[in-house]
Amino acid sequence: NLAMKRAMRTQLRKMRDAVKSGDAELAATEFRVTVKKLDRAGARKVIHRNAAARIKSRLSARIKALKQA
């Protein structure tokens, strides 16, 4: 569980850095990997499924705003 949580947090950090850099292409690829890690963590009860969904929704909104700008 700890290793999965650490990997998830690392991927979230990469995702946020990609969004901050302003590179929509990189952010989109990182988003796909992040969603996979979040779904797996939610399915294995490392984090709550609704928490995973909430994080995915917020990241998706950031990417959408990045593409609009």
Side-chain angles (χ1 to χ4, degrees):
N1 282 357
L2 189 61
M4 183 175 287
K5 190 175 273 194
R6 188 176 302 125
M8 182 190 66
R9 286 182 180 158
T10 302
Q11 187 59 41
L12 280 169
R13 196 171 304 116
K14 285 182 186 177
M15 174 68 204
R16 289 188 186 115
D17 290 344
V19 170
K20 282 183 186 176
S21 74
D23 187 1
E25 214 37 54
L26 175 65
T29 50
E30 290 293 336
F31 180 70
R32 283 192 288 276
V33 177
T34 304
V35 165
K36 187 175 179 182
K37 297 230 184 218
L38 285 168
D39 284 338
R40 183 157 293 197
R44 294 188 180 176
K45 309 265 194 311
V46 175
I47 61 172
H48 197 277
R49 286 174 306 157
N50 290 357
R54 184 176 62 241
I55 294 168
K56 288 190 298 186
S57 175
R58 289 176 182 171
L59 290 175
S60 177
R62 283 186 185 184
I63 289 178
K64 189 174 179 181
L66 183 66
K67 287 181 180 178
Q68 296 291 328

